[in-house]
Amino acid sequence: VEDCFAVICLERKRRKMIFVFVAAFVFMGDFFLKRCIEKHLRGGENRRICKGRILLRKYHNRGAVLNFLDRRPGVVRNICGGLLLLLGAAWFVLLRRKDNPGVLLGLSLLLGGGGSNLYDRITKGYVVDYFSFRTPWRWLNRIVFNISDFCIFFGSIFVAIASLIKQYQSTN
């Protein structure tokens, strides 16, 4: 019986570690991509990849999404840091329980991406964005992203959908 219990506990710990690795992988992956862009692209330089559908370029974003509050980088840094702290606390609490893995995956993506962008804000005063899409829509072509932005976006969607599913299941 003790051996069976030990195996079950070990398996739970392994499952929980997956979420830690997701957050770490997102953070480190984007960290190294940003470092590579900073080292190999000059400001104003563009490189087309994927048959011209993606444009690599270095952009220093001092504000939040779409340069919101770009003249108040300290405010943006503090808001992002506070939100990340709250998300991290929720993630830690949920990680310790047998709870919704979809929410944990979403929070892991949010923490990895948000942590990477917050690290930039603290160490550089701006977030390094490095690619945009070539589309028929001019407004979308002007937006410059990084991988963390997509992890934050998809992490938010995962949290919302997984929470709705869990709520639906608990009412039925």
Side-chain angles (χ1 to χ4, degrees), residues 42-113:
R42 293 184 304 272
E45 179 183 359
N46 296 323
R47 292 187 191 166
R48 294 182 186 276
I49 60 172
C50 297
K51 297 182 180 179
R53 290 188 178 104
I54 297 177
L55 185 65
L56 291 180
R57 60 185 181 181
K58 179 169 44 175
Y59 180 74
H60 295 163
N61 183 358
R62 297 188 188 288
V65 66
L66 300 175
N67 288 320
F68 179 67
L69 291 174
D70 64 337
R71 294 176 193 215
R72 307 285 308 268
V75 171
V76 174
R77 182 187 61 241
N78 292 340
I79 290 171
C80 291
L83 288 173
L84 204 59
L85 189 62
L86 290 172
L87 287 173
W91 181 75
F92 183 75
V93 168
L94 292 175
L95 199 59
R96 308 215 22 94
R97 291 196 268 158
K98 271 195 323 187
D99 217 2
N100 194 330
V103 171
L104 281 169
L105 176 61
L107 287 173
S108 298
L109 291 170
L110 280 161
L111 287 172

